[in-house]
Every structure is written in structure tokens, then in C-alpha cells.
């Protein structure tokens, strides 16, 4: 077996050797599966290209519902690796992926355009080479899974993501680490994955040296990742990818605002936009911790799905950029009556010649009471007030998924989710149709009618991946309530039954300053909705959701 692993590590990395290399991989895996065969009390779980041994007792945590999370992570890291290694003259061979087509225009002598379809990966210069899935790449990414449990995620990286140098599957449970070692052998990926027993924080603190840092860190803890974030932002390499999951949604979504402040440095609010706010609280916390070390974050993709949130951010170093961070955070004022919200930036950054001038934010953004319903405001935040995604990077992940639709079991949902993300406006938070209608006590307009009214009024509007009936728009709150006033005139409520202290009484007591047009426009229906993409999945199984914590090991 040692000789096989030695041949795997030293195998020539040329495209003509791919077939022989994959045969060696299959031989080594078959041998390892015999060595680490499961007992009668254990079961084998197959996910993606990995097969892991899982004990019948709840000794190690595993949740099958999070397969979408793991699939999406494999897709994101693949594109990140492709982007990083392309600069080093290294290309990918990904099983099942269709080659990109591009059109070359040849101007013929007769003046006509002759279009010729060619492959993007045309014969490369001699210095370029190719890496395949399962092959250790010396110039590749160094990956850390801080809380690996059974090691499933790390093994999937080794079996499905090309361009990796090494993977550390770490856990602070002895039974988990023993299981990780068996699963590594069972899948024959010892040349890529190493099991490690350590407190994830100490492991990351010991890898803070400039040449020791990881290129990718994946943190998917049970509950909050807050205690790991300080170490993570220091041990991630320059421009490295930090992947973080939070499942403590009760805290982030406003049920325990004081606990949220103690963990993330931000006050959460119980509101209709709580799921996007949770994303922005986590991004604020990450950026705040990175700023302590003259580092800052750039969000690549931020997802709210099922019972958790997941963010992918790159971390960079730069004192000048860190000074911009205050202007990227904002306090949030949310009316307790009608749900109108306002953002107040914490700082200002104004161009001053060839430099930037920084100062405190100006305000207040609102009065003592809501201008629409006369109710009080709750104060939340600070939250991240900049875009949640890098749309160019998201489009690359989406394109790769469309070229290889059989790669993941959840590919249809990945395509639907990322399509919605590319359509989202880069505007913080959103309103929901049911909350707007509830505030004025009238029936609810259809999604297309309300979107059409905003478009007719000259404003931008989009949906949100975080909420099924969300409305993201650059229209001011006064325009939104004018549209609702116009809708109420078409669908009148019994105003004599409205209490003088109710939000509806005050909102409807003002005449609209615009005449809303609810005629449905063709562009009111976004492409992802017209195509019927899987944007919001149904419950995958009975009693699904967060599972019980694994027994201490």
C-alpha cells in the first residue's frame, strides 16, 4: 500500500496520464475499503463521491439535510481553486464537465463574418499543466476543516475538488478523530487528507505565520462559530477563502438580541428581514475581528437556507482598506408599528484629492417617531451594509454547475439559488408583501402587481433568496406606502373600524402623492421564476432541521 501511495504522490501530472492515475486511485481505494470495513453496529453513508462509516450511536454529528451546504461548498471551492491556480499556469480536469465554447470571428476577404466555434482550453503552452480530482497538487490549496466530525466534508473535498495540496480534518473529540482516520483509509485519500486532534482555535493560532496559513478554512460548528472567528481571520492566507456556517438562528434572528450582541457584537431584531439581517450581522462580526489585525473581508457569496446561514468571504490585508470599514457598517432603525426601516452608516469616507477623508457618520436618519405610523423605533446592529455577494464570482459558480448538472445531487437547487442571487439588488434588507398588507389591514397584492407598480414608478426591484415573498427595491419608504395607499383605494378597508392608534389609521390618513399603476409588466417576472427553477425547497424529510448534538467523545 505504501508503494501505491508513493506512486500517487509522484505520478507525472500530464493530461495523457489521467486515465492511469484514476486507475491507481481506484486500486488504492479498494484496498483501503477492505482494511477499514465497518462493523455490524455501523452503517455506510454515501454522499457525492465519498463513502463514510457512521456509528449507529450518536457519537459523531451528521445531518443529511445539510448535503446542499456541502455540495455548494464543493462548488465554491472548486471555482476558487480554478481561479487561483489559473494564475500559476495550472488547468483543471473535472469529470463530467462540458468544455466551454467560445466564438472566434474571422473577417474573410469578402467582408463577411465567419464564426468558428472553438474550445476555450485550446492547446496550451508547454509550461501549462493539468491537475485532476484526487491528485495532490504541490502548488494547490491548503484546506482546513476545523470541526470535521466524521470527516465527510474533507473526504468529499479530496474526492471531488481538484487543485488541492493538503486537507487537515480536525476535531476535538477522540472518537471523532478515530472515525476520521478510518474514513480516510476507507476512501483511500491518505495522500491528501490528514486527521488531527486539537482545539480548532489552537490549531489555527499555531498557523498564523505568513507561510503557514491555510488557503481555505471551513468552519461548520454545532451552533455559533463566534469563538473561532478571531483565530480564523488570522490563520487564513492573503486572499484566502473563509467559509462559515451559523445554525444559532434563534440568536441571529432576534429572539435573543442580547446574546447576539455578546457573540457577534451586534443587536439582532425580530423582523421580517431577519434572515438577511443574520447574514449581515455575521459579515459585520467577521470584518470587525479582521480589522483588529489590519485585515478586511470581501464577501463572495452569502446564503440563508433552511435553518442556517452560510457565508464565503475572502480575507485581505491593507491598512488603507481597513479605514473604509466603518463606512461599510450601519445601525438599523426599525419601526415597531409598520415595519419601515432606515440605515445609519457608522462612518463616512469622502474622496479628498488623491486620498480619502474619513469621519463619523452624520444623523440622525429619522425622527423620534415613525413619520408614517407615529410608532417608536427599535435600534439594531451594527450590520454589514455593503453587497452580500461578488456577482462575477457567483456567475462563475453558476456557469460551472450548468456545465456539469450531474455533479451534485442538489445541483437543481444550487442553480436556482445562485440564479436568484445574481438577480438580487445590492441593497440591504427587504419588505414582505404580507407585512405591508397587514400594516394597512387590506388584502395582499400579487407579487407581479406590486413589482410592476414599482417598475412603472421608475424604481428597481428584485426578489431575495432569503425569503419567498420578499421585495428588495431602491424605492424610498414613502413610495412604498404610496403604492399601498393606492392599492387600498382599489381594495378599500372599513376605516371606521380602525383604531386611531393603529398604524393603518395613520398611513391611510395621508393621500398618496403618486398614482400607482398595477398593470403587470413582462419584466416584473424574474427569469429564475419564469424558468421554474428550484429556489425554495420543500421539507426534505420528516422532523428535519438541526439535529441533536453528538455525545461527548
Amino acid at each position: 500500500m505504501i508503494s501505491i501511495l508513493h506512486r500517487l504522490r509522484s505520478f507525472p501530472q500530464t493530461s495523457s496520464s489521467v486515465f492511469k492515475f484514476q486507475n491507481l486511485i481506484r486500486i488504492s481505494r479498494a484496498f483501503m475499503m477492505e482494511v477499514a470495513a465497518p462493523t455490524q453496529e455501523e452503517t455506510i453513508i454515501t454522499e457525492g463521491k465519498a463513502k463514510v462509516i457512521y456509528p449507529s450511536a450518536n457519537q459523531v454529528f451528521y445531518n443529511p439535510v445539510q448535503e446542499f451546504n456541502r455540495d455548494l461548498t464543493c462548488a465554491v471551492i472548486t471555482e476558487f481553486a480554478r481561479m487561483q491556480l489559473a494564475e500559476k499556469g495550472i488547468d483543471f480536469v473535472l469529470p463530467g464537465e462540458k468544455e466551454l465554447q467560445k466564438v472566434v470571428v474571422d473577417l474573410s476577404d469578402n467582408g463577411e463574418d465567419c464564426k468558428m466555434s472553438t474550445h476555450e482550453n485550446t492547446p496550451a503552452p508547454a509550461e501549462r499543466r493539468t491537475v485532476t480530482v484526487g491528485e495532490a497538487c504541490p502548488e494547490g490549496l491548503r484546506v482546513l476543516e476545523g470541526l470535521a466530525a466524521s470527516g465527510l466534508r474533507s473526504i468529499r473535498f479530496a474526492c471531488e475538488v481538484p487543485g488541492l495540496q493538503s486537507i487537515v480534518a480536525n476535531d476535538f473529540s477522540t472518537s471523532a478523530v478515530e472515525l476520521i482516520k478510518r474514513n480516510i483509509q476507507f476512501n483511500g485519500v491518505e495522500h491528501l487528507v490528514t486527521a488531527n486532534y486539537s482545539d480548532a482555535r489552537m490549531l489555527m493560532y499555531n498557523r498564523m505565520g505568513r507561510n503557514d496559513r491555510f488557503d481555505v478554512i471551513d468552519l461548520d460548528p454545532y451552533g455559533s462559530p463566534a469563538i473561532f472567528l478571531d483565530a480564523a481571520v488570522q490563520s487564513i492566507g492573503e486572499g484566502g477563502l473563509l467559509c462559515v456556517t451559523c445554525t444559532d438562528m434563534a440568536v441571529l434572528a432576534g429572539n435573543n438580541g442580547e446574546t447576539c450582541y455578546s457573540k457577534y457584537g451586534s443587536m439582532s431584531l425580530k423582523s421580517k428581514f431577519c434572515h438577511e439581517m443574520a447574514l449581515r450581522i455575521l459579515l459585520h462580526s467577521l470584518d470587525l475581528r479582521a480589522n483588529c489585525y489590519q485585515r478586511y473581508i470581501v464577501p463572495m457569496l452569502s446564503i440563508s437556507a433552511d435553518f442556517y446561514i452560510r457565508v464565503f468571504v475572502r480575507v485581505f490585508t491593507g491598512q488603507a482598506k481597513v479605514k473604509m470599514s466603518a463606512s461599510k457598517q450601519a445601525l438599523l432603525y426599525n419601526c415597531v408599528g409598520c415595519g419601515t426601516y432606515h440605515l445609519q452608516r457608522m462612518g463616512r469616507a469622502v474622496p479628498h484629492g488623491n486620498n480619502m477623508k474619513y469621519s463619523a457618520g452624520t444623523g440622525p436618519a429619522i425622527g423620534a417617531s415613525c413619520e408614517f405610523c407615529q410608532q417608536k423605533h427599535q435600534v439594531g446592529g451594527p450590520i454589514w451594509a455593503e453587497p452580500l455577494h461578488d456577482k462575477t464570482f457567483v456567475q462563475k459558480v453558476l456557469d460551472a454547475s450548468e456545465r456539469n448538472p450531474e455533479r451534485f445531487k442538489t445541483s437543481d437547487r444550487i442553480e436556482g439559488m445562485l440564479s436568484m442571487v445574481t438577480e438580487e439588488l445590492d441593497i440591504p434588507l427587504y419588505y414582505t408583501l404580507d407585512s405591508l398588507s397587514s400594516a394597512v389591514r387590506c388584502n395582499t397584492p400579487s407579487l407581479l402587481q406590486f413589482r410592476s407598480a414599482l417598475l412603472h414608478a421608475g424604481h428597481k426591484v428584485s426578489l431575495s433568496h432569503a425569503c419567498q415573498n420578499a421585495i428588495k427595491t431602491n424605492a424610498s419608504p414613502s413610495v412604498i406606502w404610496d403604492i399601498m395607499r393606492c392599492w387600498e383605494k382599489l381594495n378599500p378597508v372599513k376605516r371606521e373600524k380602525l383604531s386611531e392608534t393603529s398604524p393603518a389609521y395613520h398611513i391611510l390618513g395621508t393621500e398618496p402623492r403618486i398614482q400607482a399603476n398595477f398593470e403587470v409588466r413582462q419584466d416584473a417576472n424574474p427569469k429564475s421564476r419564469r424558468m421554474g427553477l428550484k429556489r425554495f425547497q420543500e421539507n426534505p424529510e420528516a422532523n428535519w432541521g438541526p439535529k441533536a448534538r453528538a455525545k461527548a467523545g
Side-chain angles (χ1 to χ4, degrees):
M1 189 61 217
I2 294 175
S3 63
I4 292 177
L5 291 176
H6 176 74
R7 290 180 68 188
L8 288 173
R9 293 189 183 98
S10 60
F11 204 81
Q13 299 178 4
T14 61
S15 57
S16 61
S17 304
V18 172
F19 181 73
K20 293 180 180 180
F21 176 81
Q22 291 175 342
N23 279 339
L24 280 175
I25 289 288
R26 283 193 287 269
I27 293 171
S28 64
R29 284 180 180 169
F31 182 87
M32 286 303 184
M33 289 179 71
E34 294 180 4
V35 173
T39 64
Q40 292 182 350
E41 291 78 22
E42 298 170 331
T43 57
I44 296 178
I45 295 173
T46 301
E47 185 178 294
K49 302 296 183 183
K51 292 184 178 181
V52 296
I53 301 168
Y54 183 71
S56 299
N58 188 28
Q59 296 174 322
V60 176
F61 184 78
Y62 168 71
N63 190 348
V65 175
Q66 291 234 34
E67 183 174 3
F68 170 73
N69 183 331
R70 292 182 283 269
D71 286 351
L72 181 63
T73 302
C74 287
V76 169
I77 294 179
T78 298
E79 291 312 302
F80 178 69
R82 195 195 304 268
M83 181 173 63
Q84 295 292 92
L85 296 186
E87 301 172 358
K88 302 177 181 180
I90 302 175
D91 298 319
F92 275 7
V93 172
L94 203 59
E97 186 174 69
K98 300 175 184 177
E99 295 180 345
L100 280 173
Q101 300 282 332
K102 68 178 181 179
V103 175
V104 178
V105 179
D106 179 29
L107 294 178
S108 59
D109 294 336
N110 57 11
E112 296 178 356
D113 292 350
C114 298
K115 296 184 179 181
M116 300 180 295
S117 178
T118 63
H119 295 296
E120 183 182 18
N121 48 347
T122 51
E127 63 271 14
R128 295 193 71 85
R129 60 189 181 85
T130 302
V131 294
T132 60
V133 173
E135 174 187 353
C137 177
E139 302 90 349
L141 305 181
R142 293 174 292 184
V143 181
L144 167 66
E145 185 185 4
L147 305 108
S150 65
L152 171 61
R153 192 180 297 246
S154 292
I155 293 169
R156 286 198 60 184
F157 292 163
C159 296
E160 301 177 33
V161 181
L164 303 183
Q165 180 188 131
S166 62
I167 305 168
V168 177
N170 178 77
D171 207 281
F172 205 23
S173 163
T174 54
S175 59
V177 173
E178 288 303 315
L179 184 61
I180 293 170
K181 291 178 180 178
R182 290 181 62 195
N183 283 326
I184 291 172
Q185 290 184 343
F186 191 62
N187 288 269
V189 291
E190 292 159 308
H191 60 294
L192 273 175
V193 187
T194 303
N196 187 76
Y197 172 76
S198 176
D199 184 327
R201 292 168 293 182
M202 298 310 299
L203 173 60
M204 290 186 284
Y205 281 132
N206 288 329
R207 297 289 292 269
M208 288 167 45
R210 187 175 298 273
N211 297 324
D212 297 328
R213 294 172 177 171
F214 295 100
D215 301 297
V216 178
I217 295 179
D218 190 301
L219 297 175
D220 190 355
Y222 187 94
S224 172
I227 60 174
F228 304 104
L229 300 184
D230 182 77
V233 297
Q234 296 183 73
S235 58
I236 191 74
E238 184 66 14
L241 185 67
L242 182 56
C243 319
V244 183
T245 300
C246 297
T247 58
D248 55 334
M249 291 304 294
V251 171
L252 287 164
N255 285 351
N256 306 99
E258 69 289 346
T259 304
C260 184
Y261 184 82
S262 67
K263 290 184 176 182
Y264 300 99
S266 178
M267 180 66 72
S268 59
L269 299 179
K270 201 169 185 178
S271 58
K272 291 293 184 178
F273 48 72
C274 61
H275 292 98
E276 182 178 323
M277 186 177 181
L279 287 170
R280 295 185 178 278
I281 287 174
L282 177 57
L283 292 175
H284 159 75
S285 186
L286 282 167
D287 195 55
L288 185 64
R289 284 167 165 83
N291 291 166
C292 297
Y293 310 103
Q294 298 301 307
R295 311 194 82 184
Y296 61 96
I297 68 166
V298 176
M300 305 301 285
L301 175 63
S302 307
I303 292 293
S304 172
D306 302 331
F307 52 86
Y308 60 90
I309 58 173
R310 177 76 162 166
V311 300
F312 301 87
V313 304
R314 297 185 70 183
V315 181
F316 295 91
T317 306
Q319 185 176 9
K321 290 284 188 179
V322 169
K323 290 182 178 181
M324 296 284 294
S325 289
S327 61
K328 298 177 182 178
Q329 322 297 326
L331 289 173
L332 171 67
Y333 296 90
N334 185 51
C335 175
V336 299
C338 63
T340 303
Y341 59 84
H342 299 270
L343 294 180
Q344 172 63 61
R345 297 274 179 160
M346 299 289 291
R348 298 176 64 206
V350 181
H352 186 72
N354 294 328
N355 300 312
M356 298 292 292
K357 184 177 181 181
Y358 305 99
S359 62
T362 58
I366 55 170
S369 59
C370 176
E371 61 177 301
F372 304 105
C373 71
Q374 310 305 314
Q375 301 288 322
K376 295 181 179 179
H377 292 94
Q378 286 184 318
V379 183
I383 62 172
W384 178 262
E386 294 295 296
L388 295 175
H389 325 282
D390 182 328
K391 297 290 183 64
T392 302
F393 178 77
V394 174
Q395 188 63 52
K396 290 180 180 179
V397 179
L398 177 58
D399 291 342
S401 178
E402 292 173 345
R403 292 197 306 271
N404 197 355
E406 303 299 324
R407 185 182 180 194
F408 302 116
K409 184 178 177 181
T410 62
S411 288
D412 55 346
R413 190 182 181 197
I414 291 175
E415 182 180 347
M417 181 74 78
L418 297 186
S419 295
M420 286 200 71
V421 165
T422 59
E423 295 170 350
E424 278 186 13
L425 291 176
D426 290 327
I427 295 172
L429 308 180
Y430 51 79
Y431 293 94
T432 61
L433 287 177
D434 58 324
S435 63
L436 294 174
S437 301
S438 176
V440 296
R441 305 289 180 86
C442 70
N443 62 354
T444 306
S446 72
L447 182 67
L448 295 184
Q449 286 176 316
F450 196 85
R451 285 171 58 89
S452 297
L454 286 167
L455 292 171
H456 283 301
H459 300 286
K460 296 179 180 179
V461 61
S462 77
L463 301 179
S464 170
H465 79 276
C467 181
Q468 194 163 2
N469 62 341
I471 296 290
K472 292 178 77 73
T473 179
N474 63 346
S476 65
S478 60
V479 171
I480 292 173
W481 289 120
D482 276 348
I483 292 175
M484 289 306 300
R485 292 182 184 111
C486 293
W487 177 256
E488 187 274 336
K489 290 182 179 296
L490 300 175
N491 304 268
V493 301
K494 297 181 178 179
R495 301 198 181 192
E496 63 275 7
K497 292 187 177 182
L498 297 178
S499 168
E500 293 185 2
T501 59
S502 67
Y505 179 85
H506 292 283
I507 293 173
L508 297 178
T510 303
E511 286 297 313
R513 288 170 291 182
I514 65 171
Q515 183 59 46
N517 182 358
F518 294 99
E519 182 181 353
V520 175
R521 292 172 45 142
Q522 186 175 359
D523 56 347
N525 198 12
K527 183 179 178 181
S528 63
R529 194 169 181 266
R530 291 197 310 269
M531 295 176 62
L533 298 180
K534 190 174 184 179
R535 302 170 301 159
F536 303 96
Q537 76 164 9
E538 298 178 358
N539 293 353
E541 60 182 30
N543 303 315
W544 74 289
K547 302 296 183 183
R549 184 188 295 269
K551 298 177 182 178

